[in-house]
Amino acid sequence: MIKPIELVIFDCDGVLVDSERIALRLQVALGAELGWPLTAEDVVDRFIGRSKESICEQIAERLGAETAAVWWERLMRRHREAVDAGLEPVDGLPEALAAITLPVCVASSGSHEKMRHTLGVTGLHERFEGHVFSSSEVPRGKPAPDLFLHAARRMGVDPAACVVVEDSRPGVRAARAAGMRSFGYAGGLTPAERLVGPGTVVFDDMRELPVLLAEQGA
């Protein structure tokens, strides 16, 4: 029997804030600068939804640890500048949040510092304050289930009563591994077909989320 939904766990980048397009552009540029030519599709496949550790490990394997450190420093500096220049919430997200009455939290591959910045700039920090969790708090990042299980534990909710809103393939895989239902948001960079799978509802308009939650047993 499917449990009623007691908690909605949101990813941050690409689900709450429209920052993945910024990251994509910056990663392609950094690859060209530092010796690893990457297409937009390469970045989506390799980096989107992954933790800092996973991304830097891939860069280090290709270019060495020193270059990986330079890459990450430049990425964070430029990302911060781009966010300050005009980051917006994901289209339809404010309306969706206004209609959701269930408890909510954030569980992201990004650092707490990064999330404080992006959620603050977009006016979303207050909505999630005290309920923000980072992959830096767990041994393994997505697609491992550690982060979502950690969020459920901290929020005091059975994983089977949680749903996850994700926009990346590692994210929906992590939700499945955690025994949670998921909603795969295909209105961003990841094609819908990469989000499809067991226990996952794929959608492309964030305004639809409150209705989808109700249909799934909120």
Side-chain angles (χ1 to χ4, degrees), residues 110-132:
S111 67
H112 280 287
E113 179 183 9
K114 181 183 175 186
M115 286 188 281
R116 276 193 298 271
H117 186 216
T118 57
L119 293 175
V121 166
T122 52
L124 296 172
H125 188 266
E126 186 176 337
R127 180 72 165 89
F128 295 97
E129 191 167 8
H131 300 145
V132 178

Side-chain angles (χ1 to χ4, degrees), residues 63-190:
L63 302 173
E66 185 174 333
T67 300
V70 171
W71 184 309
W72 191 259
E73 186 280 326
R74 291 183 187 177
L75 176 64
M76 289 298 97
R77 173 166 44 83
R78 295 175 189 180
H79 189 276
R80 188 172 191 87
E81 291 168 356
V83 166
D84 286 338
L87 180 65
E88 297 289 339
V90 164
D91 183 46
L93 187 278
E95 297 95 314
L97 283 179
I100 293 171
T101 57
L102 288 161
V104 296
C105 70
V106 181
S108 170
S109 296
S111 67
H112 280 287
E113 179 183 9
K114 181 183 175 186
M115 286 188 281
R116 276 193 298 271
H117 186 216
T118 57
L119 293 175
V121 166
T122 52
L124 296 172
H125 188 266
E126 186 176 337
R127 180 72 165 89
F128 295 97
E129 191 167 8
H131 300 145
V132 178
F133 308 103
S134 166
S135 63
S136 63
E137 300 171 51
V138 296
R140 300 175 298 169
K142 305 169 191 177
D146 302 31
L147 177 57
F148 291 145
L149 292 173
H150 171 67
R153 188 164 49 248
R154 289 286 301 275
M155 296 293 289
V157 178
D158 184 337
C162 298
V163 296
V164 173
V165 186
E166 265 286 355
D167 72 318
S168 73
R169 191 173 188 179
V172 292
R173 288 175 59 197
R176 291 174 199 137
M180 300 177 182
R181 288 166 282 169
S182 61
F183 294 90
Y185 176 62
L189 298 180
T190 303

